[in-house]
Amino acid sequence: MTATQATTVRDQLYIGGEWIPPATDRVFSPVSPSTEAALGRAPEGTERDVDNAVAAARAAFDDPQGWSSWDVDTRAQAMERFADALDRRGPEIARLVSGQNGMPITMAEAVEGAFPAVALRYYADLIREQGIEERREGVFGRATRVRHEPVGVVAAIVPWNFPQALAFVKIAPALAAGCTLVIKPSPETVLDAFVMAEAAHEAGLPPGVLNIVPAGREVGAYLVAHPGVDKVGFTGSTEAGRSIAETCGRLLRPVTLELGGKSAAIVLDDADLAQHASEFVDATLQNNGQTCYLCTRILAPRTRYTEVVDTITDIVRSLRIGDALDPRTQIGPLVSERQRARVEGYVTKGRAAGGRVTTGGNRPAGLDYGFFYEPTVFADVSNNDTIAREEIFGPVLAVIPYDTEQEAVAIANDSEFGLGGSVWSSDTERAIGLARHIQSGGIGINSYSHDIGSPFGGIKASGLGREQGPEGLAAYQHSKTIYNVP
Ligand code: NAD
């Protein structure tokens, strides 16, 4: 079934609190990955647009009566108005995201349409609770005041897979801290960004506090290095993250990097995967395999290997593939033709290395349009195989056998990445005990789901710094100490 979608045409950029003409007539023309139909068009930002946006954010930040100087309650109230305005647009945002990137609509409604407001309200509450100044008794007898001041103008660069949620884990803490922002959405998902701007405008955020310039990677690199920027928040590939880190290193510019992953799900010998089937799908294949923290390496005990492979195969084979906008769809298309070709290349490599495909491994029959690919399970994979080492960013799972728990931990940790992970067991304490040994920024028990109240991020090639939780607010603040105070 093909759900229809109206086209959207945008011809102005939201900069300095106004809708203004872009510097050139270049446009992005996104295409539906479900139907290959044109979805509309939006301006492609250029370096001149970035200059304008950074100047607007700079002026808003430097204004002595402006956003950064507002008392925290007034700022928090504005954030709550922004949250309300986004809530009203939740269904529209979800449809636009799902239409552009192929995320199943039910998930887009639950995450992309709803999470931004949750993030804004969480950080509004947190900044009220924490305030920006605290008094400390001095060790040498004189007290200090420690102020948590905003870092300044933030460049927030986000990918296409969760364009709203990943923007708001930057926007919400940055606004709470008193920063101003230039947001650069990815070319694949530009249309939803304009709705975000409308909500910000309706909420009455002061001009220049939030500016949006959809653009490609060269313009992104220009924004990262811009002299008017004080902090970079980036989510995307490890390759781009390294390049951004080099720039920020040279400039001594603070940066938070949320990058790629190749996480492991350790299935213990007492696990009942069938009982947790829906959590297992979320942890391994969510968003058509296009999620950074997915556990795409499944470590199964050799004593139960065949049974675990069969259970996973049955779970994955039962998933319904279809148009992302169809509410019955569990697996939508990949974001683009190029992304599907990349996934197909990895499946070829997996087969060549001796991996056994137990389900999937092809384009689905009967879907003549769109960038669909069957969710695929490989058995008999070694952790040294390419499909177990590199991030595929598609619906491809590799089931790897292990003999002892110690070996399972060693395999899980034998990765360039360290973002997520999960342990599956009917004994929670046993699972937590094992989780302590996994080298990653986060790990789930019989699931993988993060929580805005606790830090999220990666180690090794998965990133630097943390988003979410109080740690995510601290990433947009710097501490200033006033010595010798009453
Ligand atoms: P990408 O790195 O190609 O692009 C991400 C964003 O960065 C886009 O807006 C792009 O235009 C921009 N960009 C690319 N190169 C840049 C550069 N040198 N300077 C400045 N901007 C640049 O990644 P993608 O293909 O869009 O997204 C998928 C990747 O994102 C995967 O590797 C995935 O694991 C990762 N990701 C990580 C997290 C996390 O929280 N750790 C979350 C989601 C996605």
Side-chain angles (χ1 to χ4, degrees):
M1 190 191 105
T2 298
T4 53
Q5 193 176 21
T7 57
T8 307
V9 174
R10 300 282 186 171
D11 49 18
Q12 293 183 312
L13 293 173
Y14 189 69
I15 293 176
E18 290 179 314
W19 291 98
I20 62 168
T24 71
D25 56 7
R26 292 169 62 171
V27 290
F28 287 123
S29 306
V31 164
S32 159
S34 295
T35 64
E36 299 181 40
L39 293 174
R41 62 164 200 271
E44 176 178 346
T46 58
E47 293 183 1
R48 268 196 286 152
D49 298 306
V50 166
D51 288 341
N52 290 339
V54 173
R58 188 80 261 161
F61 185 78
D62 292 340
D63 176 356
Q65 263 79 53
W67 179 255
S68 56
S69 72
W70 286 13
D71 69 80
V72 291
D73 190 52
T74 312
R75 246 185 355 241
Q77 283 175 28
M79 291 171 67
E80 285 162 348
R81 288 196 303 275
F82 192 9
D84 293 342
L86 283 164
D87 269 344
R88 286 192 284 279
R89 292 164 173 82
E92 181 186 4
I93 288 174
R95 265 196 316 280
L96 285 170
V97 170
S98 172
Q100 292 170 102
N101 73 1
M103 178 184 294
I105 184 70
T106 47
M107 179 175 189
E109 284 165 352
V111 180
E112 294 290 281
F115 178 81
V118 173
L120 285 167
R121 293 192 184 108
Y122 168 76
Y123 280 108
D125 284 347
L126 190 67
I127 197 72
R128 276 195 187 103
E129 188 187 309
Q130 289 194 350
I132 56 161
E133 197 167 292
E134 56 178 293
R135 183 180 182 281
R136 296 191 191 173
E137 289 302 335
V139 173
F140 300 126
R142 290 178 174 181
T144 66
R145 285 206 197 163
V146 178
R147 288 178 53 76
H148 302 285
E149 299 197 339
V151 286
V153 172
V154 172
I157 299 180
V158 287
W160 46 263
N161 62 338
F162 290 88
Q164 293 280 324
L166 295 173
F168 275 91
V169 289
K170 300 166 181 54
I171 295 169
L175 289 181
C179 298
T180 61
L181 299 104
V182 177
I183 298 147
K184 192 206 80 63
S186 204
E188 292 84 352
T189 43
V190 286
L191 301 177
D192 51 295
F194 291 82
V195 184
M196 177 200 294
E198 283 170 359
H201 196 73
E202 183 185 299
L205 289 194
V209 168
L210 191 97
N211 311 274
I212 306 181
V213 183
R217 56 186 53 199
E218 290 78 16
V219 175
Y222 178 77
L223 172 62
V224 166
H226 201 288
V229 166
D230 298 307
K231 152 101 197 185
V232 177
F234 173 77
T235 302
S237 61
T238 295
E239 188 193 355
R242 284 189 208 282
S243 150
I244 289 169
E246 278 178 23
T247 303
C248 291
R250 179 167 45 81
L251 296 170
L252 295 179
R253 181 166 292 173
V255 60
T256 303
L257 300 170
E258 296 287 358
L259 310 176
K262 190 77 195 179
S263 304
I266 301 181
V267 180
L268 293 182
D269 55 13
D270 63 351
D272 182 354
L273 277 193
Q275 191 202 332
H276 300 292
S278 123
E279 298 276 20
F280 183 78
V281 171
D282 265 357
T284 58
L285 288 166
Q286 190 192 62
N287 198 20
N288 322 326
Q290 301 171 129
T291 307
C292 53
Y293 52 69
L294 291 181
C295 302
T296 49
R297 294 182 294 148
I298 321 286
L299 313 190
R302 205 180 297 275
T303 48
R304 286 183 61 198
Y305 190 71
T306 307
E307 184 203 330
V308 171
V309 168
D310 288 349
T311 305
I312 293 172
T313 302
D314 289 347
I315 293 172
V316 172
R317 192 182 283 140
S318 74
L319 297 173
R320 182 192 276 267
I321 308 172
D323 189 311
L325 289 168
D326 182 338
R328 295 168 304 174
T329 290
Q330 293 168 290
I331 298 282
L334 293 159
V335 70
S336 63
E337 180 100 68
R338 207 185 63 164
Q339 188 69 14
R340 178 170 62 179
R342 176 185 157 94
V343 171
E344 288 177 329
Y346 276 110
V347 171
T348 302
K349 284 183 187 162
R351 285 191 165 114
R356 175 167 56 93
V357 174
T358 66
T359 185
N362 292 297
R363 296 182 183 189
L367 288 166
D368 299 332
Y369 297 97
F371 312 128
F372 294 95
Y373 197 77
E374 291 174 338
T376 301
V377 177
F378 271 97
D380 305 341
V381 179
S382 151
N383 197 48
N384 295 322
D385 294 347
T386 303
I387 61 163
R389 302 214 74 82
E390 296 181 11
E391 182 183 50
I392 299 174
F393 227 54
V396 181
L397 306 182
V399 192
I400 302 169
Y402 71 84
D403 286 306
T404 62
E405 280 184 25
Q406 207 180 5
E407 189 192 358
V409 170
I411 295 172
N413 291 341
D414 177 15
S415 172
E416 183 196 351
F417 301 103
L419 186 56
S422 54
V423 185
W424 304 76
S425 168
S426 47
D427 180 343
T428 305
E429 284 309 317
R430 182 180 172 207
I432 294 171
L434 203 81
R436 292 197 178 102
H437 298 287
I438 303 303
Q439 295 161 0
S440 79
I443 183 156
I445 308 299
N446 292 326
S447 72
Y448 184 93
S449 54
H450 52 95
D451 184 289
I452 178 88
S454 294
F456 173 91
I459 60 170
K460 302 197 268 184
S462 292
L464 275 183
R466 292 292 177 268
E467 291 186 325
Q468 309 189 39
E471 293 81 357
L473 174 61
Y476 292 95
Q477 294 172 318
H478 69 81
S479 307
K480 181 165 100 189
T481 305
I482 305 178
Y483 297 102
N484 193 21
V485 296

